[in-house]
Amino acid sequence: MKAVLARTFGPLEQLVLEEVEPRKPGPGEVAIAVKACGVNFFDALIVQGKYQTGPKYHSLRGVKWRV
């Protein structure tokens, strides 16, 4: 599957689209097929290090799902 990855804090131009191994769902989880996705405003602030509070770098992930 393809994933947009942030390897370090920085401008959005540093985000990269890469092929990654899909993660298998664990107990109580399901896998869904995603046709399209994007980087939302919150994600953009976090990867640039501009959000007032935020997770440590290793825990970055999207926060919105729309099905």
Side-chain angles (χ1 to χ4, degrees):
M1 73 177 197
K2 293 186 180 182
V4 175
L5 304 175
R7 300 270 183 220
T8 184
F9 285 114
L12 296 179
E13 293 78 19
Q14 290 183 357
L15 295 176
V16 292
L17 180 64
E18 290 187 9
E19 193 70 31
V20 298
E21 188 67 31
R23 188 176 69 86
K24 294 185 181 188
E29 299 178 333
V30 297
I32 59 171
V34 177
K35 299 280 184 184
C37 67
V39 176
N40 65 41
F41 185 67
F42 175 79
D43 294 329
L45 290 176
I46 291 287
V47 299
Q48 295 176 84
K50 294 181 178 179
Y51 195 71
Q52 62 266 25
T53 60
K56 291 183 173 48
Y57 180 73
H58 68 275
S59 64
L60 293 177
R61 61 182 56 87
V63 294
K64 291 185 180 179
W65 290 95
R66 190 175 284 182
V67 179

